[in-house]
Amino acid sequence: MEDPQDFLRQKTQSVTESIDPKKWVWIEDKAEGYLSAKILEVNGETLSVETKEGQRLTVKRDLTQQMNPTKYDKAEDMAALTYLNEAGVLHNLRQRYFCGMIYTYSGLFCVAVNPYRRLPIYTDKVVEMYKGKRRAEMPPHIFSITDNAYNEMLQERENQSILITGESGAGKTENTKKVIQYLATVAGSGDVKAQKKKNLEDQIVQANPLMEAFGNAKTIRNNNSSRFGKFIRVHFGLHGKIAGADVESYLLEKSRVVSQSSEERNYHAFYQILTGADAEIKEKFLVTGKPEDYKFLCDGVARIDAVDDEEEWKATCESMDTLGFTDDEKSFLIKIVMAILHFGNVKFKQRPREEQAECPNTSDAEKVAFLLGIQVADLVRALLRPRIRVGHEYVQQGRNYEQVVSSVAALSKSLYDRMFKWLIARINKTLDTKFSKNYFIGVLDIAGFEIFQVNLFEQLCINYTNEKLQQFFNHHMFILEQEEYKKENIDWEFIDFGHDLQPCIDLIEKKMGILSILDEESIYPKASDKTLIEKLKKNHDGKSPKFKLPKMSSKNKAHFEIEHYAGTVGYTVMGWLEKNKDPLNDSVVDLLRKSTDPTIAGLFADHQSEGSRKKGSQFMTVSQLHK
């Protein structure tokens, strides 16, 4: 068995060839980021240098970065580096990473580099090593950050928060789980009687696998990417024992329910149920076929390397058992998942020479109706000829093929989104105890910054959220860092780092910003993606410093670019108006509210149909809810 110490701190310092930092610099390199180079000659503002590979180059002095003395190699806290520049930071992180040390401090921050493999540094033995220790006493670790937050809470009698940020695939969700694991171990009740039942610490830990099953998916960068944000509060009593927990969820990626790219998957639960459900469940809830047989799954990949969906389903069921889910509650989740899959398979066609669709074969619709507890004839009628309000009267409106297919997709997305919110509420019900709650430690884990080949409305929402979060992070954390400088009497001119991101945030959220224009276009009946693009160009091209028009090529299909803090992202406007309006077929919703399954009926209890809205009130768009 591997020794965790080998992945936390080197037992013996490796001998590195000593260099004179005045004679060496970092130069930029497209492949490696930066290369070390020896200065051969100085010619005013240019340097003649030679890389370790023997390549001689002439570079501008202001494009080089100073190199730290070798005594700082693999520094545990980069605040100690003589030169805290980008090249020095990346070099230090890389050196530590290649030695298996994935955590590194940088002043108040802890940087984690995803190892994409399991390391033996999260065992109970390691938890005990960090328990009650000051940060300087131990090697960098997420456990140290958590332990310090816990002790700060007890000593200062104040709530604490741990912010976990990074791009998609950086390891935010895994580190969130380690925070919860540490708190559950260190602050558990230790009640012998509770061991016989499902104790609270187990339930808090087991909430994560359940949320991951229904809220995580394989993306291009990550096999277990959180497609929603969450803020987990772990509550404590006066003496530091866990007294409960609750979860707030944000921005579930609904579009994934009906469509994925060729290298991605839908939410894990779809594949787990199809693969792992036993014969009784398959017969009872019409679980048939393979992922490839369903329209809402067939575009993406069906399997993930080294992941057994059957075993994962067993783990999901174990989590539900630990959290006290009843058989009816488990059945509800399976029914919604299978209803959505069968919904996507319902076949429609356009009647010739008519603006009317029809459903020639109702076999899949019958499955949907059975699972949702409604009548198939009512469902088909509501899809094809829904009742709409015209003035003070209701009339039946004929729908064409595109309208019906769009309606099915919108209903499927809304069903899944409302089911997920129900799941979070159900988890919170279990984690809410009668114990006295005095303080909490909050852990924020949101979907990371995303830059894909094609970036759509979902990426704009995620990246906008990250931009706002990064602004708060910079403003708050760097103020704390600069206060440390004051305490140490360092001569320092105060800088508000939060202002750097404001132009980008203004471009997205201010009046006549991107979201405002999107909302405006969503109201106009004749608006389209094309009119939206033209309006964005008219208002921001050459006027907003963070808005750019991309160079068009066969590879670049983006309509506009935004210079975010994490990089320039090209956005493709495709279906943005429909995604923003996210309209639901009120006739089908009314049917679902009368479902024979009370849990399904309750999902749409708060839905306001077009006819029931108060005069003068408007529907809420996705972007308005997002703000």
Side-chain angles (χ1 to χ4, degrees):
M1 188 174 176
E2 294 176 301
D3 184 354
Q5 290 283 8
D6 295 337
F7 298 91
L8 296 172
R9 179 177 282 162
Q10 283 194 313
K11 292 176 181 175
T12 55
Q13 186 69 32
S14 57
V15 180
T16 308
E17 181 187 349
S18 181
I19 62 167
D20 183 352
K22 293 179 182 178
K23 295 181 179 179
W24 286 79
V25 291
W26 292 108
I27 60 172
E28 291 186 13
D29 180 76
K30 285 185 179 179
E32 296 294 324
Y34 294 93
L35 292 175
S36 58
K38 188 175 184 179
I39 300 172
L40 300 177
E41 191 177 348
V42 179
N43 299 305
E45 293 304 309
T46 63
L47 304 176
S48 295
V49 299
E50 183 179 12
T51 67
K52 285 191 174 180
E53 289 71 33
Q55 185 182 11
R56 295 197 173 200
L57 300 164
T58 300
V59 296
K60 290 183 179 179
R61 184 195 289 268
D62 59 2
L63 294 180
T64 65
Q65 295 186 27
Q66 291 172 294
M67 187 177 287
N68 287 292
T70 50
K71 68 177 182 178
Y72 292 115
D73 283 355
K74 305 186 189 72
E76 290 186 350
D77 189 342
M78 293 185 291
L81 298 180
T82 304
Y83 305 113
L84 192 60
N85 51 37
E86 185 174 305
V89 167
L90 291 174
H91 174 66
N92 193 68
L93 291 173
R94 180 186 290 164
Q95 280 191 314
R96 289 179 59 79
Y97 182 77
F98 287 151
C99 292
M101 296 179 288
I102 64 169
Y103 291 109
T104 309
Y105 292 132
S106 181
L108 297 174
F109 312 101
C110 180
V111 181
V113 184
N114 194 338
Y116 289 100
R117 63 187 177 110
R118 300 204 179 277
L119 298 179
I121 58 173
Y122 305 107
T123 61
D124 289 343
K125 178 184 174 183
V126 178
V127 170
E128 286 300 317
M129 286 166 51
Y130 280 87
K131 192 173 176 181
K133 296 284 175 48
R134 291 181 181 177
R135 200 176 87 156
E137 294 180 66
M138 298 297 293
H141 200 298
I142 188 66
F143 285 171
S144 183
I145 297 291
T146 310
D147 192 78
N148 276 265
Y150 178 66
N151 283 296
E152 191 82 8
M153 177 193 75
L154 292 177
Q155 290 167 16
E156 301 297 328
R157 303 296 185 190
E158 285 186 343
N159 299 329
Q160 305 290 314
S161 283
I162 298 173
L163 176 58
I164 300 177
T165 182
E167 68 174 339
S168 181
K172 298 181 299 300
T173 298
E174 289 303 311
N175 277 284
T176 298
K177 289 193 285 189
K178 303 310 175 193
V179 170
I180 302 302
Q181 172 202 339
Y182 189 85
L183 292 174
T185 305
V186 169
S189 64
D191 187 351
V192 177
K193 291 180 181 178
Q195 301 297 327
K196 297 176 183 177
K197 301 183 288 182
K198 304 291 188 295
N199 67 44
L200 181 58
E201 296 79 54
D202 287 341
Q203 290 174 330
I204 292 171
V205 170
Q206 285 297 314
N208 263 304
L210 184 54
M211 288 189 288
E212 285 183 17
F214 289 89
N216 286 29
K218 171 182 164 49
T219 62
I220 293 169
R221 294 188 176 184
N222 185 357
N223 286 344
N224 187 35
S225 176
S226 293
R227 308 314 299 162
F228 70 105
K230 58 182 177 287
F231 183 58
I232 304 172
R233 273 182 291 256
V234 181
H235 298 276
F236 300 86
L238 195 61
H239 301 294
K241 293 299 179 185
I242 288 179
D246 66 88
V247 181
E248 285 185 45
S249 67
Y250 312 95
L251 298 169
L252 180 75
E253 186 186 29
K254 294 190 291 185
S255 62
R256 182 170 296 272
V257 174
V258 299
S259 175
Q260 313 87 42
S261 74
S262 59
E263 297 176 65
E264 300 191 344
R265 291 208 315 178
N266 208 322
Y267 290 102
H268 297 322
F270 289 97
Y271 309 90
Q272 290 180 10
I273 291 170
L274 286 174
T275 309
D278 60 34
E280 184 184 350
I281 287 176
K282 285 185 175 181
E283 183 180 357
K284 189 175 180 181
F285 301 114
L286 311 180
V287 181
T288 58
K290 305 185 295 294
E292 295 86 346
D293 299 330
Y294 294 95
K295 182 185 175 184
F296 287 164
L297 302 181
C298 64
D299 289 340
V301 296
R303 289 158 196 85
I304 303 174
D305 292 339
V307 173
D308 185 333
D309 285 314
E310 187 174 348
E311 287 301 314
E312 292 296 318
W313 176 241
K314 289 178 183 175
T316 300
C317 291
E318 187 181 321
S319 294
M320 286 192 275
D321 290 337
T322 303
L323 287 157
F325 277 54
T326 65
D327 288 342
D328 285 346
E329 288 169 335
K330 294 178 195 173
S331 298
F332 160 72
L333 294 169
I334 298 169
K335 278 196 278 190
I336 295 293
V337 166
M338 291 313 303
I340 289 169
L341 290 182
H342 291 303
F343 214 175
N345 280 7
V346 179
K347 303 293 189 298
F348 302 97
K349 72 175 187 180
Q350 184 74 29
R351 283 182 185 170
R353 296 180 298 279
E354 285 187 57
E355 275 295 297
Q356 178 64 59
E358 61 183 8
C359 183
N361 185 337
T362 61
S363 58
D364 286 302
E366 286 168 11
K367 294 174 183 177
V368 177
F370 168 76
L371 290 164
L372 295 179
I374 57 180
Q375 295 298 313
V376 65
D378 294 337
L379 173 63
V380 173
R381 189 186 308 111
L383 287 168
L384 300 179
R385 297 182 63 82
R387 292 177 76 245
I388 65 165
R389 186 173 177 174
V390 179
H392 296 290
E393 296 181 353
Y394 282 91
V395 298
Q396 285 192 315
Q397 180 195 52
R399 292 281 176 94
N400 62 31
Y401 174 82
E402 285 78 14
Q403 288 173 321
V404 174
V405 170
S406 176
S407 180
V408 167
L411 286 161
S412 299
K413 290 185 289 184
S414 185
L415 265 172
Y416 197 87
D417 181 58
R418 288 167 183 269
M419 176 207 71
F420 189 76
K421 287 172 180 168
W422 174 91
L423 177 67
I424 298 296
R426 178 61 187 81
I427 289 170
N428 286 339
K429 182 181 174 183
T430 294
L431 301 183
D432 184 21
T433 69
K434 293 178 181 178
F435 300 130
S436 175
K437 300 175 182 68
N438 298 84
Y439 319 105
F440 70 78
I441 293 178
V443 189
L444 180 64
D445 168 25
I446 67 165
F449 194 89
E450 295 186 341
I451 308 177
F452 295 143
Q453 196 74 37
V454 178
N455 301 286
L456 302 172
F457 181 56
E458 292 78 16
Q459 276 68 51
L460 177 71
C461 291
I462 288 169
N463 293 345
Y464 164 53
T465 304
N466 275 273
E467 198 84 36
K468 294 275 284 187
L469 181 63
Q470 192 68 33
Q471 184 189 45
F472 169 78
F473 185 78
N474 287 359
H475 179 76
H476 182 70
M477 294 305 291
F478 284 116
I479 280 177
L480 291 180
E481 188 79 45
Q482 291 176 92
E483 283 174 357
E484 291 291 319
Y485 298 163
K486 275 186 184 177
K487 287 178 187 176
E488 296 176 25
N489 296 318
I490 296 172
D491 188 20
W492 180 265
E493 187 176 336
F494 180 81
I495 302 170
D496 187 349
F497 291 93
H499 285 167
D500 295 347
L501 282 68
Q502 198 59 49
C504 182
I505 292 168
D506 288 347
L507 167 63
I508 298 171
E509 73 175 15
K510 276 287 179 79
K511 188 176 181 181
M512 293 313 290
I514 291 170
L515 295 183
S516 172
I517 291 172
L518 177 59
D519 282 342
E520 196 174 83
E521 287 294 285
S522 297
I523 298 169
Y524 297 135
K526 293 185 179 180
S528 64
D529 288 339
K530 188 176 179 182
T531 62
L532 172 62
I533 294 163
E534 291 306 316
K535 207 161 191 177
L536 289 174
K537 288 179 182 178
K538 181 182 176 182
N539 281 274
H540 296 292
D541 185 25
K543 300 173 184 176
S544 301
K546 299 295 182 179
F547 184 93
K548 308 289 180 189
L549 294 182
K551 295 176 182 177
M552 296 302 290
S553 68
S554 58
K555 288 185 178 179
N556 188 0
K557 305 291 184 184
H559 293 111
F560 68 91
E561 293 177 342
I562 297 178
E563 289 184 359
H564 290 282
Y565 76 92
T568 300
V569 182
Y571 292 99
T572 303
V573 178
M574 191 164 61
W576 283 32
L577 296 178
E578 280 302 302
K579 287 178 180 178
N580 191 43
K581 289 185 284 189
D582 212 17
L584 289 180
N585 182 320
D586 289 335
S587 294
V588 178
V589 171
D590 286 341
L591 284 178
L592 292 172
R593 292 168 76 168
K594 298 169 187 172
S595 168
T596 55
D597 185 320
T599 312
I600 292 174
L603 288 182
F604 291 90
D606 63 342
H607 175 74
Q608 277 195 325
S609 63
E610 193 174 339
S612 66
R613 282 191 207 107
K614 292 179 181 177
K615 189 175 181 180
S617 68
Q618 293 183 339
F619 68 93
M620 289 291 286
T621 63
V622 172
S623 62
Q624 285 168 347
L625 291 168
H626 187 83
K627 289 179 185 178

